[in-house]
Amino acid sequence: MNQRNIRLRVAYDGTGFCGWQRQKNGMSIQELLEAALARITKEPVEVSGAGRTDAGVHAEAMTANFHTNAAMPAAAFQKALNSMLPKAVRVVAAAEAALDFHARFSAISKTYRYDFFTGAVQRPAERLYRTHAPCVFMPEHVRPCLELLLGSHDFSSFEAVGTRDRSKTGGRGAVRTIFRAECTADPARPEHFSFRFTGDGFLRCMVRNLAGTLIWAGAGKLSCEQFAAILAAQDRKQAGPTAPACGLFLEQVNYPE
């Protein structure tokens, strides 16, 4: 039987999970999918994801893929998986893919969204999906900072400390390219804001560290000139706090057409 490559689009509520990647200290989305697919296909299955979302981070469109010898139609994997997975994890689509397709290495860009609320009292139903950052937030203070992020930069100042072996040579280090960086307000709900970043890749906790620093800028605690200095410093100690995981969503993964 010929081996096949199946591509999945997965949405999940990251609350209560240790993240996408298999971990020893809790249940991951990857582990859930692999266990369910092993039962469906009657063979060991390794699932590759487009990224490694951290504990508590959500996804609206995580792309994943796996190889299998199972003969069932690709679309049938969606129904089969959803019958076995917890309701916090849903397979939105399943389709045949080229054998050389890889959810991570074939991606050309990803979009992350960070949602936050700046009012004094947050509604309880929002607390797991939108960060509470009470302050007088001024988007006009943030937009010049966002413009500085566009293009290729060394984002060491926004990388979680200790997440990369800096002794290795080669590769691109902490350099990433940002194609879009914006701050939007919800016109229907006062004090509800979102950051959105599209780039060719992101360092560990990079979006959350950017969000924490940009919220400071929006609250008037940081000027655009100071933000530029933080970016140039390539020093995590210079940037603002890591924003909570609950506000972060992997919104989209893009591939060549």
Side-chain angles (χ1 to χ4, degrees):
M1 191 175 295
N2 294 328
Q3 190 178 63
R4 305 154 64 206
N5 192 9
I6 307 299
R7 173 172 166 172
L8 305 175
R9 189 164 76 250
V10 186
Y12 51 86
D13 178 342
T15 308
F17 292 103
C18 67
W20 165 266
Q21 190 176 21
R22 225 179 290 109
Q23 304 281 341
K24 293 181 179 179
N25 62 344
M27 181 56 66
S28 69
I29 309 300
Q30 182 185 33
E31 185 176 352
L32 279 173
L33 287 168
E34 289 178 342
L37 285 166
R39 290 172 60 189
I40 293 167
T41 63
K42 311 300 183 187
E43 61 186 9
V45 175
E46 182 176 348
V47 177
S48 298
R52 299 176 179 179
T53 55
D54 293 330
V57 175
H58 316 293
E60 294 181 351
M62 168 67 84
T63 301
N65 76 287
F66 65 94
H67 290 88
T68 182
N69 292 309
M72 66 187 293
F77 280 103
Q78 179 186 11
K79 184 175 181 180
L81 283 167
N82 285 339
S83 71
M84 302 169 69
L85 294 168
K87 292 183 178 180
V89 183
R90 294 289 90 177
V91 175
V92 180
E96 209 82 34
L99 284 177
D100 63 352
F101 172 81
H102 190 284
R104 179 183 174 191
F105 299 121
S106 298
I108 56 174
S109 69
K110 301 171 192 171
T111 298
Y112 282 94
R113 187 183 77 245
Y114 196 87
D115 296 338
F116 59 104
F117 171 69
T118 61
V121 180
Q122 184 179 41
R123 295 185 179 185
E126 291 186 345
R127 75 192 190 285
L128 301 179
Y129 311 104
R130 186 177 290 271
T131 289
H132 188 203
C135 66
V136 177
F137 184 78
M138 297 166 282
E140 63 274 15
H141 287 196
V142 172
R143 290 182 181 123
C145 300
L146 293 170
E147 291 179 8
L148 294 173
L149 298 176
L150 298 176
S152 298
H153 304 279
D154 185 309
F155 284 97
S156 296
S157 291
F158 301 101
E159 178 183 19
V161 175
T163 60
R164 182 169 49 87
D165 185 352
R166 296 173 186 269
S167 66
K168 293 182 179 179
T169 58
R172 56 177 176 166
V175 175
R176 298 293 184 272
T177 301
I178 300 299
F179 307 118
R180 177 175 67 158
E182 62 183 23
C183 178
T184 57
D186 187 336
R189 296 185 296 173
E191 302 172 308
H192 288 71
F193 299 92
S194 297
F195 294 126
R196 190 172 274 103
F197 305 95
T198 298
D200 66 352
F202 294 88
L203 301 165
R204 177 88 185 275
C205 292
M206 177 175 158
V207 175
R208 291 169 58 194
N209 291 333
L210 280 169
T213 309
L214 289 165
I215 288 172
W216 269 13
K221 298 179 181 179
L222 204 65
S223 69
C224 185
E225 291 74 20
Q226 288 172 313
F227 185 85
I230 289 170
L231 177 61
Q234 300 178 21
D235 179 3
R236 176 67 188 99
K237 295 178 182 178
Q238 301 298 314
T242 303
C246 63
L248 184 58
F249 292 77
L250 174 58
E251 192 173 64
Q252 187 173 348
V253 185
N254 297 308
Y255 295 90
E257 295 182 359

